[in-house]
Amino acid sequence: MPGLLLGDVFPDFEAETTYGKIKLHEFLGDSWGILFSHPRDYTPVCTTELGRAARMSSEFSKRNVKMIALSIDCLEDHHGWTKDILAYNCEESSCTSLPFPIIADSKRELAVALGMLDPVEKDQDGLPLTARCVFIIGPDKTLKLSLLYPATTGRNFDEILRVVDSLQLTAGRRLATPADWRPGDCVMVPPSMSEEEAASLFPGGIYTKELPSGKKYLRYTPLEETQQ
Ligand code: BEZ
């Protein structure tokens, strides 16, 4: 069974969360969304990840991104574990709750439907745990990006923020961001764009790298303030 593909409308499920019952599309409204799963509550890597996500949440909300986490544990565990996450990661702040809800997918229904299970990591009953999935959903409710990490590898939330910046910058625009791009860096002209069109669309000028093939496809352009 193929999983969700880029461009698919993300399923509009209803779920129990630490913020009460949520319908995903209603919860997201006109915002971008990040749904991210973790294997299990009260585990070390997950504790660092949710803490990092909480500490970076203002950066995501500045970008109009709503976050929502998921694991196969129950609400009671989510609430109990939240205290540990806050104590370990947010000691100096006075926050008493996470800035995003956690879905309680105890029956693994969403995890199965969304292809989130890790076949290697199992619980004490031999059932698979959730892998570390990231789904980025656009305001049009379609899937813009997905990442899938095994339980044993914690994610880099700076990278998740970086890809949000790239997705938002390139949405509906004919440009692309190169490897390791950061906001403010030059962007790349897509290969389908003619030199004439590129010159008119990118007034900041185009730098074309000479290559052994002689082909002129490696084209950078600075992004003018007015274009951002
Ligand atoms: C963790 O979050 O620490 C973890 C969870 C499942 C497997 C391995 C690590």
Side-chain angles (χ1 to χ4, degrees):
M1 279 280 287
L4 277 173
L5 301 176
L6 296 185
D8 284 353
V9 173
F10 204 84
D12 184 19
F13 56 78
E14 191 171 288
E16 293 292 348
T17 82
T18 47
Y19 284 21
K21 201 169 259 190
I22 273 177
K23 281 188 178 161
L24 185 72
H25 286 199
E26 193 179 281
F27 168 74
L28 294 177
D30 295 331
S31 302
W32 288 69
I34 295 187
L35 169 63
F36 60 111
S37 61
H38 57 274
R40 198 100 241 206
D41 295 0
Y42 299 110
T43 52
V45 177
C46 301
T47 303
T48 61
E49 283 194 324
L50 268 74
R52 182 78 182 122
R55 279 186 276 119
M56 286 179 69
S57 68
S58 59
E59 288 300 321
F60 287 100
S61 31
K62 259 192 236 165
R63 290 158 174 83
N64 194 28
V65 180
K66 283 194 172 173
M67 307 169 89
I68 183 163
L70 176 151
S71 85
I72 51 173
D73 291 294
C74 63
L75 275 183
E76 194 188 342
D77 281 347
H78 286 348
H79 285 299
W81 180 46
T82 294
K83 296 191 187 105
D84 290 356
I85 298 169
L86 295 173
Y88 181 66
N89 295 280
C90 312
E91 244 174 339
E92 61 292 349
S93 78
S94 55
C95 49
T96 53
S97 62
L98 286 172
F100 47 79
I102 312 177
I103 296 171
D105 186 30
S106 339
K107 293 190 185 146
R108 291 173 164 78
E109 285 167 350
L110 285 172
V112 170
L114 299 173
M116 289 175 154
L117 290 176
D118 184 332
V120 177
E121 294 296 332
K122 307 256 168 69
D123 67 9
Q124 64 278 14
D125 301 319
L127 293 171
L129 301 179
T130 354
R132 301 185 194 280
C133 268
V134 180
F135 290 122
I136 304 188
I137 305 159
D140 61 358
K141 309 291 179 295
T142 65
L143 181 66
K144 303 297 182 194
L145 179 142
S146 66
L147 294 169
L148 182 55
Y149 284 43
T152 42
T153 302
R155 287 158 289 197
N156 181 329
F157 282 79
D158 288 320
E159 170 62 3
I160 297 173
L161 195 63
R162 192 190 75 85
V163 297
V164 166
D165 283 332
S166 171
L167 289 170
Q168 293 187 338
L169 181 72
T170 57
R173 286 197 180 102
R174 292 175 64 201
L175 50 88
T177 62
D180 300 331
W181 172 88
R182 293 263 161 208
D185 290 353
C186 283
V187 297
M188 302 200 95
V189 180
S192 59
M193 194 180 285
S194 70
E195 279 183 45
E196 298 70 41
E197 209 179 353
S200 70
L201 283 177
F202 300 113
I206 290 157
Y207 166 72
T208 308
K209 177 79 183 155
E210 295 294 335
L211 295 166
S213 66
K215 296 182 194 292
K216 298 188 181 306
Y217 60 89
L218 228 157
R219 298 177 292 178
Y220 285 97
T221 183
L223 209 54
E224 304 283 297
E225 276 302 307
T226 51
Q227 290 174 273
Q228 306 220 6

